[in-house]
Amino acid sequence: MAANEVDVFANEEKRNLELGGHVGFDSLPDQLVSKSVAQGFCFNILCVGETGIGKSTLMNTLFNTIFENEEASHYEQEVQLRPQTYDLQESNVNLKLTVVHTVGFGDQINKEESYKPILEYIDTQFEKYLEEELKIKRSLFNYHDTRIHICLYFIAPTGHSLKSLDLVTMKKLDSKVNVIPVIAKADTVSRSELDKLKIKVMSELVSNGVQIYQFPTEDEAVAEINSSMNTHLPFAVVGSLDNVKVGNKMVKARLYPWGSVQVENENHCDFVKLREMLLRVNMEDLREQTHARHYELYRRCKLEEMGFKDTGPDSQSFSLQETYEAKRKEFLVDLQRKEEEMRQMFVNKVKETEAELKEKEKELHERFEQLKRMHQEEKKNLEEKRRELEEEMNAFNRRKVAAETLMGQALQGCSQPFKKDKDKKNFFSLPSACSLTSGRNLN
Amino acid sequence: MTASSRYRSRVPRPEDAEEKEYVGFATLPNQVHRKSVKKGFDFTLMVAGESGLGKSTLVNSLFLTDLHKDRKLLNAEERINQTVEITKHTVDIEEKGVKLKLTIVDTPGFGDAVNNTECWRPITGYIDQQFEQYFRDESGLNRKNIQDNRVHCCLYFIPPFGHGLRPVDIEFMKALQDKVNVVPLIAKADCLTPLEIKKLKERLREEIDKYGIKIYQFPDCDSDEDEEFKRQDKELKESTPFAVIGSNTVVEARGQRVRGRLYPWGIVEVENPSHCDFVKLRTMLIRTHMHDLKDITSDCHYENYRAQCIQTMTSKMNADKRVESPIPILPLSTPDVETEKLIKMKDDELRRMQQMLQKMQQQMHEQDL
């Protein structure tokens, strides 16, 4: 049966066969090369270093062109990254070069968060590639790969050792990208100081477990040169695009009153070594490492986060689709649950507010009642007072009437003056009462 | 032209004496000279800046001694959370009978940690402490042997790798500008070509003006100084901030043994004025302006501190109503802030009452009509 045949074939050992003549598949590498040359290459460099340390100048010197770059200010609030893409061509090989510079690195007073924007940028590039990979309709061969292939970390030549910021940043970066430390502005360090500095820097990196990029030594063609270069790390570089006449040649150099530092002179600085390693020997290896090591690590972490596993609890491999479906269902259920929750919350809140409002209404009502009662009481009091006053008025009127009648009697009794001496008193007291009342009547 | 020769050239010659009556107080400068030599001088210099900028090397080059033996340099990981320390080295040096007690105040750890917020606090604290110490000594009963530990000058090292001042530089200089004479220097100047040095100096001068940082200004020389001195002074002023290089090693250059740094491409001579401004710095700091620095410290910065101190003390006492301070109180010529406020309040009240009174009067007047 067919199934058994397939099994038989799979269990057979693979044999090495001798060729009878020239077949011609030794041209496969050439085919690969011509295909990739036609496609064009892509290389992304990230330069991390303090403002003014010479990142742009070094890039200009390395690629022998002037990349447009304005001077950065020292007063940025946060570290930012500025990517720029260029298309370069050298003897029919097209290179799409992206150079990313950090702006404002090391300028802030509090540098604890300085490494974060850099990590974010690197992760974002990985994320974009992962997205492209997971798409249903994807075009990876056409995709502009922006993942950072190499990070050049510029160390300030202070002469003693690494700065604390350098150590912290390189530690965070070493698992995400290939890091190559370089000592910038190396024309300020004399030979003996330079050796000491290199040793100190490397020992500090090693003792803190920072894994910088090691040039590969497996391939015999480049093993020797690579292993010797590994001992010269970190490279002490000087960058310059100014041409200075030395002897009878024009070379790239920096001209000082006491001499000129030639960029391409191996006795003066390690620029040539850096260029060899970076561009001429190991560029492809850097790209490979980025894809095979750093990107795979990122991808694994990301997918594990999302809940994917390669092997299930009974050691059976899951397929991505099944897991994906399961995840999707889970996610939808989650979403529904959350919606319900939110609706509940909303209803609860509405109820609460209603209850509050009711209470307030009750309170207002009570107050109203209270005020009404008070009002009534006061009205009563006022009524009483009015009555009292009226009574007094009546009493007074009665007295008035009484007084008038008495007056009338008194006038009548005037014809009998001596009869009532007793009344004299009254008589004399009366006129006052009379005048009062008359005065009153007038009013 | 040394100071002593300048003074001597001013002494009137005996021929003049015959023309008018010679009193003789023109020899006062010589007497001052003699007494000061006998008394000796002291000078406190502070150096501040990030580690690795060549502060110790420069100080050694300036005073031609080795002040920093057995220095322990920290690793990068130890420096992540480092705090600023203050270390003091005092040496007695003598030259031609003139004794100088030199104190160098070093600030290891400045700007080295990852988070450098307020890293200048210990430094300003130290300067204030010295002022306070002097204040107490000055106001004490026995004033015979006052030790002057006040910081006379602060050399601030700016790294040459950037494009100008960084935020930490600005904050530091602003925090110190009213307490000490700040002299900014461009460190490790052998990484800059002459054109770059010029650009950087201009940039720095611009930024110092822009941010209003008060650095030490050279005093204008008197109009009756000779031309040579005036020219030197002008040159000095135009080349601030100084771009310096330091070195302790002696190398052979142009047939001479000079202090310098040996590179594969040439030799940088520290004392060559076309290579760096070290000579100018030395002239300014030691040979011509040392006493001026001391004067400004005691006349300007210290007096400011003293006035502030007294004001805060008396205002606190007015609030507490206690007489406890050991230092005698001087009568205040300026009124206290609090009493001023009270007076103002009372004035306002009075005014309001007067207005009300006027209004009432008017009302009554209208009623009577």
Side-chain angles (χ1 to χ4, degrees), chain A residues 157-162 196-197 200-201, chain B residues 51-54 71 73 79:
Chain A
T158 51
H160 293 313
S161 66
L162 280 179
K196 270 200 287 189
L197 179 62
K200 191 83 204 302
V201 167
Chain B
S51 121
L53 285 180
R71 218 159 42 119
L73 291 166
R79 282 190 271 152

Side-chain angles (χ1 to χ4, degrees), chain A residues 52 75 109 111 158 161 164 254, chain B residues 52 79 112 114 116 161 196:
Chain A
Y75 308 112
I109 293 185
K111 297 176 265 202
T158 51
S161 66
S164 47
R254 282 174 66 77
Chain B
R79 282 190 271 152
D112 280 343
V114 178
N116 289 315
F161 310 124
E196 287 169 353

Side-chain angles (χ1 to χ4, degrees), chain A residues 22 46 58 65 94 99 126 140 196 220 258 264 271-272 284 307 319 340 363 380 397 414 417 442:
Chain A
H22 181 193
L46 170 65
L58 187 70
T65 66
N94 290 323
V99 181
F126 281 157
L140 274 177
K196 270 200 287 189
E220 315 90 47
W258 48 84
E264 292 181 352
F271 174 78
V272 174
E284 187 55 36
S319 85
E340 269 303 313
E363 242 180 81
K380 247 197 309 181
N397 277 340
C414 258
L442 269 175

Side-chain angles (χ1 to χ4, degrees), chain B residues 140-337:
Chain B
L141 293 172
N142 184 356
R143 302 206 294 186
K144 265 228 169 105
N145 289 324
I146 303 184
Q147 287 255 351
D148 185 4
N149 287 324
R150 300 172 292 185
V151 181
H152 298 123
C153 177
C154 176
L155 295 177
Y156 185 65
F157 288 71
I158 299 175
F161 310 124
H163 295 308
L165 288 176
R166 297 164 304 158
V168 68
D169 300 331
I170 297 176
E171 292 292 316
F172 178 80
M173 287 203 271
K174 282 198 104 137
L176 255 67
Q177 65 188 359
D178 291 320
K179 296 191 193 277
V180 74
N181 301 313
V182 176
V183 177
L185 300 173
I186 301 176
K188 295 213 163 174
D190 54 354
C191 88
L192 298 168
T193 60
L195 192 63
E196 287 169 353
I197 291 186
K198 193 154 152 292
K199 249 196 342 176
L200 184 60
K201 282 189 183 182
E202 274 175 20
R203 211 24 169 342
L204 287 176
R205 279 199 289 258
E206 247 180 63
E207 289 187 342
I208 288 177
D209 270 334
K210 184 167 126 181
Y211 289 100
I213 302 173
K214 294 185 270 195
I215 58 173
Y216 172 67
Q217 302 289 340
F218 299 111
D220 293 320
C221 49
D222 303 321
S223 52
D224 61 347
E225 297 280 353
D226 53 3
E227 284 304 315
E228 170 75 20
F229 190 71
K230 275 202 214 163
R231 191 180 58 79
Q232 267 186 1
D233 199 53
K234 191 156 159 297
E235 242 186 73
L236 215 62
K237 284 195 193 160
E238 278 173 7
S239 51
T240 51
F242 296 130
V244 292
I245 302 171
S247 167
N248 276 332
T249 52
V250 179
V251 294
E252 182 104 9
R254 295 180 283 132
Q256 286 180 326
R257 289 180 66 77
V258 287
R259 282 178 162 250
R261 286 172 66 76
L262 180 63
Y263 288 113
W265 48 86
I267 300 178
V268 183
E269 294 165 44
V270 167
E271 294 187 9
N272 186 335
S274 61
H275 286 188
C276 71
D277 295 329
F278 175 80
V279 175
K280 293 205 184 86
L281 174 69
R282 186 176 58 189
T283 311
M284 185 279 280
L285 193 62
I286 303 177
R287 295 187 186 172
T288 46
H289 289 88
M290 194 183 245
H291 212 82
D292 185 59
L293 286 164
K294 288 178 70 169
D295 283 341
I296 294 197
T297 310
S298 72
D299 294 341
C300 200
H301 300 297
Y302 172 67
E303 290 299 321
N304 281 342
Y305 172 82
R306 187 170 166 275
Q308 225 182 27
C309 214
I310 294 181
Q311 266 194 346
T312 45
M313 269 200 298
T314 46
S315 71
K316 241 200 292 178
M317 274 187 15
N318 278 341
D320 290 351
K321 291 213 174 63
R322 271 182 296 151
V323 187
E324 228 190 70
S325 153
I327 298 174
I329 307 305
L330 306 157
L332 278 179
S333 53
T334 53
D336 211 348
V337 177

Side-chain angles (χ1 to χ4, degrees), chain A residues 37-277:
Chain A
V37 166
Q39 222 178 22
F41 295 90
C42 169
F43 196 59
N44 307 319
I45 306 182
L46 170 65
C47 293
V48 180
E50 290 176 8
T51 311
I53 199 109
K55 307 183 284 287
S56 321
T57 313
L58 187 70
M59 286 295 112
N60 290 353
T61 319
L62 210 57
F63 290 100
N64 225 347
T65 66
I66 298 187
F67 296 126
E68 294 285 325
N69 247 317
E70 28 169 81
E71 221 177 60
S73 96
H74 280 283
Y75 308 112
E76 303 280 344
Q77 292 294 329
E78 277 182 347
V79 177
Q80 288 172 347
L81 283 101
R82 222 186 267 165
Q84 272 158 334
T85 312
Y86 309 97
D87 278 314
L88 305 171
Q89 196 189 33
E90 193 180 45
S91 62
N92 91 333
V93 174
N94 290 323
L95 179 68
K96 208 183 188 71
L97 177 73
T98 306
V99 181
V100 188
H101 287 296
T102 51
V103 174
F105 186 75
D107 277 334
Q108 296 81 23
I109 293 185
N110 183 354
K111 297 176 265 202
E112 282 176 348
E113 312 272 305
S114 291
Y115 68 87
K116 288 206 181 134
I118 306 176
L119 276 190
E120 263 179 48
Y121 181 83
I122 297 176
D123 278 343
T124 317
Q125 309 315 308
F126 281 157
E127 177 81 32
K128 280 203 232 162
Y129 192 84
L130 184 65
E131 262 181 44
E132 182 69 27
E133 228 189 18
L134 290 176
K135 269 196 201 162
I136 300 172
K137 269 183 126 165
R138 63 189 195 179
S139 54
L140 274 177
F141 58 89
N142 237 345
Y143 177 69
H144 175 208
D145 186 8
T146 52
R147 298 173 294 180
I148 303 289
H149 298 124
I150 177 175
C151 170
L152 286 175
Y153 195 91
F154 287 73
I155 299 174
T158 51
H160 293 313
S161 66
L162 280 179
K163 288 197 186 158
S164 47
L165 175 66
D166 297 340
L167 194 62
V168 165
T169 312
M170 278 204 268
K171 241 182 139 172
K172 297 276 178 188
L173 288 177
D174 69 350
S175 54
K176 298 257 176 195
V177 72
N178 303 314
V179 176
I180 294 187
V182 292
I183 299 177
K185 301 211 166 176
D187 50 357
T188 196
V189 208
S190 68
R191 181 99 285 166
S192 50
E193 287 171 359
L194 187 63
D195 293 332
K196 270 200 287 189
L197 179 62
K198 282 192 181 183
I199 294 175
K200 191 83 204 302
V201 167
M202 289 310 280
S203 76
E204 277 193 339
L205 288 175
V206 163
S207 67
N208 282 292
V210 176
Q211 288 175 317
I212 56 173
Y213 178 72
Q214 296 290 328
F215 301 117
T217 45
E218 288 100 24
D219 184 4
E220 315 90 47
V222 288
E224 205 187 293
I225 187 172
N226 275 350
S227 52
S228 90
M229 288 301 176
N230 273 331
T231 57
H232 283 113
L233 282 175
F235 294 129
V237 293
V238 174
S240 167
L241 276 183
D242 303 322
N243 279 320
V244 166
K245 198 170 175 73
V246 171
N248 49 2
K249 283 194 302 170
M250 296 293 280
V251 289
K252 285 194 284 217
R254 282 174 66 77
L255 185 59
Y256 289 109
W258 48 84
S260 59
V261 183
Q262 292 153 34
V263 169
E264 292 181 352
N265 185 333
E266 296 228 24
N267 289 329
H268 289 187
C269 71
D270 297 331
F271 174 78
V272 174
K273 295 195 182 78
L274 177 70
R275 191 175 54 187
E276 276 282 320
M277 286 294 101

Side-chain angles (χ1 to χ4, degrees), chain A residues 302-310 320 323-324 327:
Chain A
K302 210 55 198 292
L303 291 181
E304 265 171 12
E305 242 178 72
M306 292 207 277
F308 293 111
K309 283 191 279 281
D310 267 346
L320 199 68
T323 330
Y324 187 65
K327 279 270 135 191

